[in-house]
Amino acid sequence: YGVDCMKEKIKMLYDKDDKVAYKVLLELETEVTESNELYNYFNDLLNMLKNEKSFVRVRAFRLICALAKWDNENKIENNFDLILKELDDNTSTSVRQCLGKLNLILIYKPNLSGKVENKLKQLDLTKYKESMQSLIKKDIDSILKNI
């Protein structure tokens, strides 16, 4: 991709049309497995984490996790509190999506496992519906088991 194309894809991650944005998210997640091109836009993803819309922040979180493989400048470590803040989201489905990708950071950044463990153990699950609490707890337990 050229610079303009990547910038356009990132812009599409903000799209209100979930189908459009999700398609781009999946494309970028696949691309990141083979190329570090998106790493040049890491700061754009960090800015997305500050967005008021939960779905935009989740997309950024997922891509940042995928970029752990290429993070030779320790940008994830340097911004880890901001990144992990997304696990405090009030939307249970958002938190579950993030938890599902957290293992990518743990694989490539084992030095962050202590911080991840602390964060997961202090999450307040009481703000979610009871049915979601147990699912999130199961996700957390699965991650903690592998740390």
Side-chain angles (χ1 to χ4, degrees):
Y1 293 118
V3 171
D4 290 342
C5 184
M6 190 59 84
K7 284 206 175 291
E8 187 59 34
K9 283 187 178 289
I10 290 170
K11 206 167 98 183
M12 290 169 79
L13 291 170
Y14 288 88
D15 204 305
K16 283 188 180 90
D17 182 342
D18 195 45
K19 286 186 178 77
V20 170
Y22 192 68
K23 183 174 181 272
V24 172
L25 172 65
L26 294 179
E27 277 176 33
L28 289 172
E29 282 181 330
T30 301
E31 188 181 305
V32 164
T33 62
E34 299 159 17
S35 160
N36 68 349
E37 188 181 349
L38 184 61
Y39 189 69
N40 298 322
Y41 301 89
F42 194 92
N43 291 338
D44 294 317
L45 298 176
L46 281 179
N47 285 333
M48 286 176 71
L49 285 176
K50 299 171 188 165
N51 194 283
E52 64 198 32
K53 294 188 175 18
S54 180
F55 59 87
V56 172
R57 294 191 309 270
V58 168
R59 292 170 193 153
F61 184 96
R62 289 177 55 160
L63 289 169
I64 286 170
C65 289
L67 284 171
K69 173 182 183 177
W70 306 106
D71 185 24
N72 54 2
E73 297 173 33
N74 295 324
K75 291 180 180 183
I76 289 177
E77 283 90 332
N78 297 338
N79 296 283
F80 208 46
D81 291 339
L82 172 64
I83 295 166
L84 286 182
K85 190 170 169 243
E86 194 48 37
L87 295 175
D88 295 321
D89 197 277
N90 289 325
T91 313
S92 54
T93 51
S94 297
V95 172
R96 290 202 71 210
Q97 274 197 60
C98 292
L99 289 170
K101 297 296 178 177
L102 202 53
N103 65 321
L104 293 171
I105 287 181
L106 294 170
I107 290 167
Y108 295 104
K109 302 280 184 181
N111 55 311
L112 294 174
S113 60
K115 278 190 166 190
V116 169
E117 184 176 0
N118 290 341
K119 181 67 175 182
L120 293 179
K121 287 181 174 176
Q122 68 177 0
L123 289 180
D124 174 19
L125 304 184
T126 59
K127 61 183 164 188
Y128 308 117
K129 281 193 261 175
E130 213 170 291
S131 57
M132 289 307 288
Q133 285 180 31
S134 59
L135 292 172
I136 293 171
K137 174 111 179 63
K138 202 168 132 188
D139 294 340
I140 290 171
D141 290 344
S142 173
I143 295 167
L144 291 174
K145 185 176 67 181
N146 294 314
I147 290 182

